[in-house]
Amino acid sequence: MTSEDRILKDEELVSAAYSGDKEAFSELYTRYISQIYRFIYYRVTDQDEAEDLTETVFVKAWEALPNIQLRGFYFKAWIYRIARNAVVDRHRTHRPSATFDNQVTRSDPGDSPEEQYQNNEVMTHLNKLITRLEPDLQDVILYRFFMGFSHSETSSIMNRSVIYVRVLQHRALKKLRDLMKLEISEHD
Amino acid sequence: MIDPSADILAKCLEAIEKGELSVEAALDQFSKDDPDLRELIKVAGVFRDIPEVKPRREFLVNSPVRLMNSIGSRKSRTNSIYRRPVIFSKILISFPRRLSFIIASLSLLIFLALGSGTVMAANTTIPGDWLYPVKLGIENMRLAIANQSQAVELRLQYVSRRTGEIKALTDYGRYDEIPAAAIDLTNKVQDAAQSLVELKTEEPILGNELAGEFRASLSNNQEVLKSLLEKVPSPAQPAIGHAIEVSNHEKESLNNTYPGITPGEILPSPTLPVEKTNNGNRPEATPSHPNGNPSNDGNPERPTQKPHVKPTVTPPGNNQEQLPGRSGGQPQGTHEPDPGGKPTDNSGH
């Protein structure tokens, strides 16, 4: 394998993009577009808005790149923070104090209608409950369970310690459990 | 100090996520004597049922091009240190330079393999036809090689073309294809409007003129779509309704961007294309107006001399499609919209 075959690390691409290299940035874009889209989609639950916001996030990232400190820079955490801020801004301008607020969900088009219905039911139900959590708890649920990030990755993205993330996770799951129990007792 | 329960829960979940333990094993190992923890592990397990969300393929294909257009302004401060690894040359990465090369290569291959007749036939296809992707590929190729103003003009054409296709689908009773086609139309309308906004900084006069034409064309297309609303079954109606709504919105936005031309200053142009049949049996797809009336054929108000002379680019081997003839020349081929010509009358169908 020659040096040219090597897949460049994010840090190398960031360094090149920092210098104005659009191709390097486009490579970062290719790596993260699906993840960022998914992250945003779970927050806005609207395909068109998620697409618009995803593009906005990368445009903002490109514009902000010249101002970063390259030493110790972690692109993944940084791009997610931009995405999170974009979603918060969107909620501020469109639907104040709402996250996980739209109950419309979308499944994998490959699923059968029954599976899609069930998936949507699960998503709708979970969204309803998660909306009732504090923003920090919503974040930790999103990063850990919707996006599948480890505690360490979640801590980087949230700019908190791993210990704090673990505590938040514990608190979030407890609250969710209590909400589920409450709902069950109300149904009974 | 961390709550021990939080720490145990985290370790347990990590073990499950890494595949080191099954949920049942984790429940046994970590929460034997702790019913609270047991419940929390179960709650966390609920998220495993969440469907994975993937972006639309269309979005993945088109958004890099839009992004590269959006971020084009920042100048490199140093020589680029990035050299795309060879491995990336082997996969499809949809950015303009690469995209144009790939599309051009694919189209050339298609052209050579199937002959020009296939490409010409592809130009007359509608969604659901097996050659339709070729038609879209050719459109993308043309966009990739066009300069900014040419690209805008092409996008305007494609809006009318998509409308024509929806009309054709309705005529053939292929209603299942209509929602996707209407969504595509909506995207094309937005792309065209966005490209007009971007053109304003580079070529405001031409942009102004094209914006006027686009507004008129949108009005025309909206009439067609409204007439289709009554014909299509209810599942297809929302997408068409949305397309009409978006067209309205973009028209209003353009009024703000290009206030110099008032709507109606340029009368509707016969921009809707005709989707022809491969075998001559298929009815022609689109009138320029739902009533089949010619729009402004011979209208003296319609500018005949364009302020900007634009070169016309014809890719080799594709004489069916011309970039819009802003230089005064007429588009060649029969399927392209003719900015100054007569609309095709399909009243016979």
Side-chain angles (χ1 to χ4, degrees):
Chain A
M1 185 165 124
T2 67
S3 62
E4 287 221 324
D5 287 328
R6 186 172 60 91
I7 294 176
L8 293 177
K9 291 178 181 171
D10 280 5
E11 292 83 352
E12 294 169 291
L13 293 171
V14 167
S15 175
Y18 175 83
S19 304
D21 187 336
K22 283 169 67 176
E23 278 209 34
F25 187 72
S26 75
E27 192 49 53
L28 287 166
Y29 180 78
T30 306
R31 282 184 192 183
Y32 286 100
I33 182 173
S34 293
Q35 294 179 44
I36 293 295
Y37 171 85
R38 199 157 69 237
F39 170 80
I40 292 173
Y41 179 80
Y42 284 133
R43 302 303 292 260
V44 300
T45 54
D46 180 275
Q47 195 176 36
D48 294 335
E49 266 196 272
E51 289 177 356
D52 286 349
L53 279 174
T54 302
E55 288 182 1
T56 305
V57 165
F58 282 94
V59 172
K60 281 184 177 174
W62 172 257
E63 288 167 355
L65 261 179
N67 305 320
I68 63 168
Q69 294 291 327
L70 278 177
R71 182 185 284 267
F73 182 75
Y74 182 29
F75 181 79
K76 186 175 179 178
W78 184 68
I79 195 79
Y80 272 100
R81 280 202 289 273
I82 294 177
R84 186 189 183 279
N85 290 340
V87 171
V88 170
D89 285 347
R90 174 261 185 190
H91 284 309
R92 201 176 288 146
T93 51
H94 289 75
R95 301 175 203 185
S97 74
T99 48
F100 284 101
D101 50 358
N102 191 331
Q103 305 307 316
V104 179
T105 56
R106 208 175 286 255
S107 304
D108 188 329
D111 289 346
S112 69
E114 292 80 13
E115 284 169 328
Q116 285 190 26
Y117 176 77
Q118 282 171 1
N119 287 338
N120 282 350
E121 282 292 294
V122 171
M123 276 285 285
T124 302
H125 192 69
L126 281 174
N127 281 349
K128 210 184 283 181
L129 295 173
I130 292 167
T131 315
R132 293 160 70 178
L133 302 177
E134 290 92 332
D136 258 5
L137 302 187
Q138 288 189 24
D139 281 347
V140 82
I141 292 283
L142 180 71
Y143 294 129
R144 286 280 296 119
F145 303 114
F146 281 75
M147 299 301 297
F149 292 146
S150 66
H151 293 105
S152 167
E153 286 173 316
T154 305
S155 79
S156 298
I157 293 167
M158 292 181 73
N159 214 10
R160 307 276 197 180
S161 70
V162 172
I163 291 174
Y164 189 78
V165 166
R166 288 178 172 190
V167 171
L168 278 183
Q169 171 182 258
H170 187 247
R171 207 180 293 162
L173 289 175
K174 265 178 123 170
K175 279 215 165 183
L176 264 184
R177 178 200 57 188
D178 294 343
L179 288 170
M180 286 174 179
K181 282 184 174 176
L182 185 69
E183 201 167 86
I184 291 167
S185 67
E186 280 171 359
H187 275 291
D188 293 341
Chain B
M1 185 178 160
I2 186 169
D3 177 357
S5 308
D7 202 32
I8 295 171
L9 175 68
K11 282 177 183 162
C12 175
L13 292 176
E14 268 173 11
I16 295 171
E17 286 159 13
K18 287 177 186 168
E20 293 167 0
L21 287 175
S22 67
V23 177
E24 287 308 315
L27 287 170
D28 284 344
Q29 186 174 326
F30 286 92
S31 59
K32 231 172 199 170
D33 307 315
D34 188 349
D36 200 45
L37 191 59
R38 195 174 189 85
E39 285 180 352
L40 298 188
I41 293 171
K42 283 185 175 173
V43 171
V46 168
F47 293 99
R48 278 193 297 276
D49 296 330
I50 294 170
E52 191 186 349
V53 172
K54 291 173 191 162
R56 290 183 303 145
R57 194 185 135 275
E58 200 178 41
F59 171 67
L60 290 176
V61 169
N62 294 330
S63 74
V65 180
R66 286 198 292 272
L67 177 82
M68 285 297 112
N69 289 335
S70 304
I71 68 172
S73 54
R74 184 150 68 86
K75 286 181 182 171
S76 178
R77 287 178 295 189
T78 62
N79 289 333
S80 170
I81 60 169
Y82 175 66
R83 296 286 178 273
R84 188 179 292 283
V86 172
I87 190 169
F88 289 131
S89 303
K90 295 171 186 166
I91 58 174
L92 298 179
I93 300 173
S94 308
F95 286 93
R97 203 174 69 183
R98 192 166 303 278
L99 182 72
S100 58
F101 173 75
I102 291 166
I103 294 174
S105 306
L106 285 177
S107 300
L108 184 62
L109 277 175
I110 291 166
F111 189 82
L112 291 175
L114 304 174
S116 60
T118 304
V119 176
M120 288 160 72
N123 277 324
T124 65
T125 61
I126 58 175
D129 289 349
W130 72 277
L131 275 177
Y132 188 68
V134 177
K135 179 181 183 177
L136 297 184
I138 292 167
E139 288 184 359
N140 282 338
M141 181 185 71
R142 296 186 59 73
L143 282 174
I145 61 174
N147 66 28
Q148 190 183 16
S149 57
Q150 288 169 338
V152 172
E153 293 176 65
L154 283 171
R155 287 184 199 286
L156 304 194
Q157 278 187 15
Y158 296 158
V159 167
S160 295
R161 192 176 281 186
R162 294 293 92 83
T163 310
E165 289 164 359
I166 294 172
K167 170 80 170 61
L169 288 170
T170 309
D171 288 345
Y172 306 140
R174 285 164 53 175
Y175 303 122
D176 289 350
E177 307 281 354
I178 289 177
I183 289 169
D184 193 25
L185 167 64
T186 305
N187 293 335
K188 288 284 181 291
V189 168
Q190 289 171 330
D191 287 350
Q194 180 62 32
S195 66
L196 273 168
V197 171
E198 286 160 10
L199 186 65
K200 191 182 181 187
T201 51
E202 300 296 323
E203 299 194 58
I205 298 172
L206 179 62
N208 222 355
E209 184 193 333
L210 289 173
E213 288 186 13
F214 186 45
R215 278 191 294 247
S217 168
L218 280 178
S219 300
N220 203 13
N221 294 347
Q222 278 178 294
E223 290 304 311
V224 174
L225 293 174
K226 280 176 189 168
S227 72
L228 298 182
L229 269 179
E230 298 160 7
K231 297 178 186 172
V232 300
S234 53
Q237 287 172 357
I240 293 180
H242 183 60
I244 294 171
E245 211 172 278
V246 169
S247 297
N248 257 335
H249 173 75
E250 296 299 348
K251 263 198 302 187
E252 284 168 17
S253 299
L254 280 177
N255 287 342
N256 296 329
T257 310
Y258 290 101
I261 293 181
T262 54
E265 188 175 325
I266 295 175
L267 294 178
S269 58
T271 51
L272 286 183
V274 175
E275 304 300 330
K276 287 188 174 176
T277 62
N278 294 338
N279 55 16
N281 295 329
R282 182 180 278 176
E284 287 179 349
T286 318
S288 61
H289 190 276
N291 299 328
N293 297 330
S295 51
N296 69 332
D297 185 26
N299 190 330
E301 290 180 60
R302 184 176 175 73
T304 51
Q305 189 82 33
K306 307 299 179 190
H308 283 241
V309 176
K310 293 282 150 200
T312 301
V313 178
T314 308
N318 181 10
N319 63 359
Q320 279 293 293
E321 191 166 11
Q322 284 277 329
L323 281 169
R326 312 296 314 170
S327 58
Q330 294 298 324
Q332 295 170 11
T334 55
H335 68 290
E336 283 295 312
D338 178 356
K342 286 183 181 178
T344 304
D345 181 10
N346 73 342
S347 56
H349 302 283

